[in-house]
């Protein structure tokens, strides 16, 4: 192969389009289509809208200068929730929704503060998911702790749009530099300040000098960096945008490569500006000429409406094969009964060579309204396939009763090809409708995904059995942001059961769910015997299930009242002599509006993959905005020919996983099995009381503890004291979700074993124990994060540049006794540096590579630092109180110099 594989992987990973929901467009230096959505739970307050406008307007000018006249905010849409009163100035949304907003305004779940943050868990340069501001942040006077809101917005925008990371580290606020000096973790090093401990008790605070920790050689855990109010440094926005002088990002010349920041870890010590300049935005945009500022942003106020959904279902001749029509009807009925929210409007269209409106919009107000639609589900499949006819009829069904297609949803299901589908793309775009597509079988039109992509819709692929269709329909829930109304899937299992055999299973119902709970059984030949037992022992038999009125071979039980908390067990007996496919589905909703349910969402890192390129599977498990940790998460990826790959996803901060314990479970996917569509389904289970909530939020604007002004320390109010990992157990639960579909091209039928190298080690740590260096890291795989590597190469130097610039020529460490473990395991290794005199203050830098069995090497790991330290007893230093006098400051600094001299 002429081109280095790591280069190929980099190019493929960074040039392919990502799994994006945002509709932002950059044209002529201005960003259009930014959506800021207010959560339905936020009380109506006109001041909130004014604060948003002011923040964005300030941010636009700041961004323009920070980007060196390249970009600014031109048009912003503010999405008002249905819970607010209607006003004449509110317009109708098109494709905009809370679920796909770029910025959300929502109350924090649990009282853990109002830090602005960006949900960002991709690789370096990958776009984030959304920015979260709380109403308190937007309305309160908090400029002293965060800086002007416009500057904070630009800080978070850099996370969201350009995939850069923080240049501070609350876990490691200080580090030991190559010069043996303790430095605050920051970029740039030109930002000055002091360090102190602010001890508060009973409303009074005392400021004391920091002591050194005898184990780490750094300052004690409570030591904080307090910046000078007056600075000359212009960098960096990703460290402390609150400082008046800070107007730029760190560049190659000002970047601090030594600091233990997430930016250095994730981006191979490249500066934020280097990453920003490589973004798609900046590759295609030149600085504006002249000296004039760009125009101020314009704002559109959009108000959400009740949900309007039209099913557009294929009944062409090909739907008669493999029971497709039958399975479509089963899934569509389930959607209308169990998934669509009460109060929604629903319609249905069927199509073959032509289209027919089966139902105009019907309000789903009670349990019987759906019957008006399900009674018209198609019973005969014949004719050709005209997808555009179906879509146009869908628009007519929606507009018949003075509704507009703007903001409405169409669920388009088809198994057929249609060479004319592109003829209605422009009409679809102008309709303002959101098109969710479900491709059934391998022959469904390849242009379906284009419809979803251009309208912000979801995309799914279903193979043979009904479970894929049911999973797809179950995922198409409300996009309003009201989690208490959304349907939650607990179980989806389909098995081919031999004659006279049982199918057994169990489902967990936790205390956050239990309303509107349905248990559904489907079959292909004969109705099975059904036994369902609740946690208190009550048994529901087949006679308790609603009879199948539509002849679509399904039985449904709506659990009376609120479902009991605990483990539900079920047993199905195939009474037929021959084997048949039996399927169990269980859905529910939140137990009460005051407690948000635990949810799971999933997606791939890309919509499309060009072989050879590894994809990343992401699953997020959360309760409100809080990550749920300690969950067993499993992904099932299925190709068009039915080949399945099962992956256990990890939240260990290694391999594909960006940050440990953030509730984002990730894994590389490399087992391609031919070209075409692939589907993703994820199970999340918490058992044996292992799950817990975390209050830790990454990629947030720094809460500034205070400032030094004219030699005096002026402290801000302390940040609310909250443990990063809150001791809050989560009940055992189970969740299931569809992650949609993605497409693969240029892949062989079976992936060769030597295509991908071992994964890069990201969490290497090293410390001195006596005269030995002890190392630890998470084992990569033989293929990225799968299997186990063949061997390791460890190199060491007293100079970090040796490992950064010429790893292959740094000194080797003897690893003959080091046998790699299975991927995901913790590796430990100790050695004594050879041919070096080890004295107090001696520092070594260490890095590692993993070797594939066919001698492919991983990227060089992060560089770990080990320093031999013997810390002398500290002299007594008086408290700093609330000011630093010239004398006490001198004593404090002399004490620090004394320590440096000894070390």
């Amino acid at each position: 192969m002429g081109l280095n594989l790591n280069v190929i992987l980099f190019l493929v990973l960074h040039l392919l389009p990502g799994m994006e929901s945002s509709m932002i467009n950059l044209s002529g230096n201005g960003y259009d289509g930014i959506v800021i959505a207010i959560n339905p739970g936020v009380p109506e307050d006109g001041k909130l809208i004014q604060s948003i406008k002011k923040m964005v307007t300030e941010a636009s000018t700041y961004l323009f200068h920070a980007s060196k006249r390249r970009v600014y905010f031109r048009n912003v849409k503010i999405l008002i929730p249905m819970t607010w009163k209607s006003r004449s100035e509110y317009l109708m949304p098109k494709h905009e929704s809370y679920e796909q907003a770029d910025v959300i305004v929502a109350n924090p779940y649990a009282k853990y503060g109002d830090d602005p943050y960006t949900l960002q868990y991709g690789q370096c340069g990958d776009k984030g998911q959304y920015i979260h501001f709380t109403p308190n942040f937007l309305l309160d006077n908090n400029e002293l702790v965060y800086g002007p809101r416009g500057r904070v917005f630009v800080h978070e925008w850099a996370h969201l749009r350009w995939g850069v990371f923080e240049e501070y580290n609350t876990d490691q606020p200080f580090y030991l530099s190559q010069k043996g000096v303790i430095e605050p973790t920051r970029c740039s090093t030109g930002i000055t300040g002091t360090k102190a401990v602010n001890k508060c008790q009973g409303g009074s605070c005392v400021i004391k000098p920091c002591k050194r920790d005898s184990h780490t050689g750094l300052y004690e855990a409570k030591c904080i960096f307090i910046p000078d109010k007056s600075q000359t440094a212009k960098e960096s926005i990703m460290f402390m945008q609150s400082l008046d002088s800070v107007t730029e990002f760190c560049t190659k010349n000002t970047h601090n490569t030594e600091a233990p920041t997430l930016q250095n870890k994730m981006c191979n010590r490249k500066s934020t500006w280097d990453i920003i300049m490589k973004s798609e935005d900046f590759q295609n945009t030149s600085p504006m000429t002249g000296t004039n500022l760009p125009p101020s942003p314009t704002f559109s106020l959009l108000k959400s409406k009740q949900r309007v959904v039209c099913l557009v279902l294929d009944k062409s001749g090909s739907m008669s094969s493999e029971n497709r029509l039958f399975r479509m009807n089963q899934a569509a009925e389930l959607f209308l009964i169990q998934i669509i929210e009460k109060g929604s409007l629903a319609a249905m269209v069927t199509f073959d060579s032509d289209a027919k409106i089966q139902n105009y919009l019907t309000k789903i107000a009670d349990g019987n309204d759906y019957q008006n639609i399900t009674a018209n589900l198609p019973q005969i499949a014949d004719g050709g396939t005209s997808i555009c006819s179906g879509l146009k009829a869908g628009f007519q069904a929606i507009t018949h009763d003075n509704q507009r297609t703007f903001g409405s949803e169409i669920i388009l299901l088809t198994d057929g090809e249609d060479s004319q589908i592109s003829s209605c793309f422009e009409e679809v775009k102008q309709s303002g409708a959101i098109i969710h597509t479900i491709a059934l079988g391998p022959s469904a039109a390849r242009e379906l995904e284009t419809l979803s992509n251009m309208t912000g819709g979801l995309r799914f692929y279903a193979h043979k059995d009904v479970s894929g269709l049911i999973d797809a329909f179950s995922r198409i829930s409300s996009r309003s942001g009201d989690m208490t109304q959304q349907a939650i899937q607990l179980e989806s299992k389909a098995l081919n059961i031999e004659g006279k055999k049982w199918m057994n299973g169990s489902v967990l119902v936790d205390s956050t769910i239990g309303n509107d709970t349905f248990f559904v059984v489907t079959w292909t030949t004969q109705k099975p015997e059904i036994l369902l037992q609740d946690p208190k022992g009550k048994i529901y038999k087949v006679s308790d299930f609603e009879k199948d009125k539509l002849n679509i071979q399904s039985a449904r039980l709506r659990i009376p009242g609120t479902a009991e908390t605990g483990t539900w067990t079920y047993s199905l007996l195939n009474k037929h002599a021959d084997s048949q496919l039996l399927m169990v589905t269980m859905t529910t909703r939140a137990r009460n509006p005051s407690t948000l349910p635990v949810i799971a969402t999933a997606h791939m890192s890309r919509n499309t993959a060009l072989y050879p390129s590894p994809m990343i599977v992401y699953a997020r498990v959360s309760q409100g905005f809080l990550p749920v940790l300690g969950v067993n998460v499993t992904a099932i990826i299925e190709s068009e020919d039915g080949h399945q790959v099962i992956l256990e996803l990890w939240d260990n901060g290694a391999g594909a996983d960006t940050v440990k314990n953030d509730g984002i479970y990730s894994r590389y996917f490399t087992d391609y099995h031919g070209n075409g569509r692939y589907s993703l389904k994820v199970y999340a289970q918490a058992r044996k009381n292992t799950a817990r909530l975390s209050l830790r939020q990454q990629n947030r604007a720094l809460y500034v503890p205070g400032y030094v002004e004219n030699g005096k320390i002026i402290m801000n109010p302390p940040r609310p004291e909250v443990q990063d990992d809150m001791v809050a157990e989560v009940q055992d639960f189970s969740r299931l979700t569809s992650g949609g579909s993605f497409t693969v091209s240029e892949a062989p039928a079976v992936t060769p074993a030597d295509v991908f190298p071992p994964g890069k080690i990201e969490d290497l740590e090293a410390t001195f124990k006596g005269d030995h260096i002890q190392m630890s890291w998470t084992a990569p795989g033989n293929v990225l994060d799968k299997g186990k590597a063949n061997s390791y190469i460890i190199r060491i130097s007293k100079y970090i540049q040796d490992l950064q610039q010429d790893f292959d020529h740094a000194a080797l460490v003897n690893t003959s006794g080091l046998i790699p473990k299975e991927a995901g395991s913790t590796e430990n290794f100790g050695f004594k540096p050879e041919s070096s005199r080890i004295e107090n203050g001696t520092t070594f830098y260490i890095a590692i590579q993993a070797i594939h069995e066919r001698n492919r090497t991983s990227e060089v790991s992060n560089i770990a630092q080990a320093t031999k330290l013997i810390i002398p007893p500290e002299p007594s230093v008086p408290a700093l109180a609330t000011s630093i006098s010239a004398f006490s400051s001198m004593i404090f600094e002399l004490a620090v110099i004394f320590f440096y001299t000894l070390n």
Side-chain angles (χ1 to χ4, degrees), residues 640-864:
E640 283 189 353
D641 64 0
H643 179 78
Q644 287 189 346
V645 174
I646 299 175
L647 283 176
E648 179 187 352
L649 306 186
W650 296 335
D651 186 15
N652 61 358
D657 194 60
T658 304
V659 177
K660 184 177 182 178
N661 289 338
D662 65 350
I664 310 297
Y665 299 78
S666 318
R667 200 77 185 276
Y668 283 111
F669 170 67
T670 58
D671 293 327
Y672 296 119
H673 203 264
N675 296 317
R677 294 182 174 103
Y678 287 65
S679 64
L680 167 65
K681 179 162 66 175
V682 165
Y683 287 93
Q685 288 191 325
R687 294 188 181 275
K688 300 181 180 179
N689 298 315
T690 59
R692 65 191 189 280
L693 292 176
S694 171
L695 290 181
R696 186 180 185 85
Q697 291 291 358
Q698 301 290 335
N699 304 314
R700 63 180 185 233
L702 181 62
Y703 190 103
V704 181
Y707 298 95
V708 179
E709 194 167 6
N710 298 322
K712 183 179 181 181
I713 295 179
I714 303 172
M715 298 301 295
N716 287 324
R719 186 174 180 271
E721 281 290 334
V722 178
Q723 301 260 335
D724 274 342
D725 288 323
M726 182 175 73
V727 182
E729 291 185 355
V730 178
Q731 280 187 334
D732 288 353
F733 65 84
S734 63
R735 297 289 186 270
L736 181 144
T737 186
S738 170
S741 66
F742 62 99
T743 55
V744 174
S745 58
E746 299 190 17
V750 179
T751 305
D754 61 346
V755 171
F756 302 104
K760 178 185 175 182
I761 295 166
E762 302 274 10
D763 59 350
L764 177 65
E765 295 182 356
T767 58
F768 260 101
K769 294 290 178 68
D771 287 341
H772 285 70
I773 293 177
Q774 296 294 326
M775 301 169 58
S776 66
W777 66 93
T778 301
N782 193 50
V783 175
L784 295 173
D785 55 9
K786 179 182 176 182
K788 59 183 175 181
N790 188 57
S791 60
Y792 291 116
I793 296 175
I794 299 175
R795 295 186 183 273
I796 186 171
S797 177
K798 288 187 175 181
Y799 306 98
I800 192 171
Q801 292 85 355
D802 291 350
L803 300 178
Q804 288 177 334
Q805 300 170 9
D806 196 8
F807 175 82
D808 292 339
H809 290 91
L812 268 173
V813 173
N814 184 352
T815 58
S816 58
L818 178 57
I819 300 174
K821 296 179 181 177
E822 195 74 21
S825 305
T826 299
E827 298 273 28
N828 294 288
F829 180 69
F831 68 96
K832 182 178 181 180
E834 299 175 358
S835 305
S836 294
R837 185 179 178 183
I838 301 174
E839 301 173 328
N840 192 22
T842 299
T843 296
F844 286 102
Y845 298 93
I846 306 115
I848 185 170
Q849 278 183 315
I851 310 299
H852 187 281
E853 60 189 8
R854 301 192 183 185
N855 289 327
R856 293 196 183 279
T857 58
S858 71
E859 293 182 57
V860 177
S861 71
N862 65 297
I863 299 173

Side-chain angles (χ1 to χ4, degrees), residues 36-48:
I36 301 178
I38 301 173
N39 187 276
V42 174
E44 184 167 357
D45 189 343
K47 293 178 182 177
L48 199 56

Side-chain angles (χ1 to χ4, degrees), residues 96-271:
E96 300 83 9
S97 68
Y98 180 91
E99 185 181 78
Q100 293 183 308
D102 308 293
V103 181
I104 60 173
V105 178
N107 294 312
Y109 183 63
K111 304 294 184 183
Y112 69 95
D114 295 293
D115 288 344
Y117 71 92
T118 301
L119 181 62
Q120 175 189 13
Y121 48 78
Q123 304 298 297
C124 180
D126 287 350
K127 291 180 175 67
Q129 304 300 306
Y130 60 76
I131 299 168
H132 178 194
F133 294 124
T134 68
N136 286 343
F137 169 78
L138 290 168
L139 296 174
D140 292 351
N141 183 11
N142 47 37
E143 188 168 314
L144 284 174
V145 294
Y146 299 111
R149 279 188 277 266
R151 288 172 169 241
V152 174
F153 187 32
V154 172
H155 176 102
E156 299 304 331
W157 182 263
H159 288 309
L160 178 78
R161 189 68 185 177
W162 303 318
V164 296
F165 296 87
E166 304 294 10
E167 293 183 319
Y168 65 86
N169 189 331
T170 54
D171 292 330
Q172 292 178 265
F174 297 92
Y175 68 97
L176 196 63
S177 73
Q178 292 186 69
K179 297 177 180 178
V181 176
I182 301 177
E183 290 278 3
T185 301
R186 70 204 190 284
C187 190
S188 71
T189 55
I191 292 179
T192 58
T194 190
K195 51 268 178 194
V197 175
N198 188 30
K199 294 190 175 180
C200 299
Q201 189 172 6
S204 62
C205 298
V206 177
I207 300 174
K208 295 185 176 181
C210 299
K211 296 179 180 179
R212 291 185 77 176
D213 185 289
S214 59
H215 297 289
T216 65
L218 301 174
Y219 293 122
E220 58 189 295
K222 296 290 184 180
C223 185
I224 55 177
F225 174 68
I226 305 170
D228 294 328
K229 185 71 173 176
S230 178
Q231 302 274 351
T232 58
K234 295 182 178 181
E235 305 89 359
S236 169
I237 292 169
M238 300 314 293
F239 170 56
M240 199 175 285
Q241 76 288 328
S242 57
L243 296 171
D244 290 343
S245 68
V246 171
T247 56
E248 299 180 4
F249 296 96
C250 267
T251 65
K252 184 177 182 180
N253 294 330
T254 57
H255 180 60
N256 180 3
T257 60
E258 291 188 65
T261 63
L262 194 57
Q263 172 66 22
N264 275 332
K265 174 190 173 184
M266 293 302 302
C267 298
N268 285 327
R269 301 181 184 270
K270 290 183 173 65
S271 74

Side-chain angles (χ1 to χ4, degrees), residues 336-358:
L336 292 166
I337 298 174
Q338 300 174 216
I339 306 302
I340 194 168
E341 296 76 17
K342 296 296 184 287
S344 302
L345 298 174
M348 185 171 70
V349 165
T350 58
F351 70 93
D352 43 50
S353 303
D354 203 352
K356 180 180 179 182
I357 298 173
Q358 300 289 353

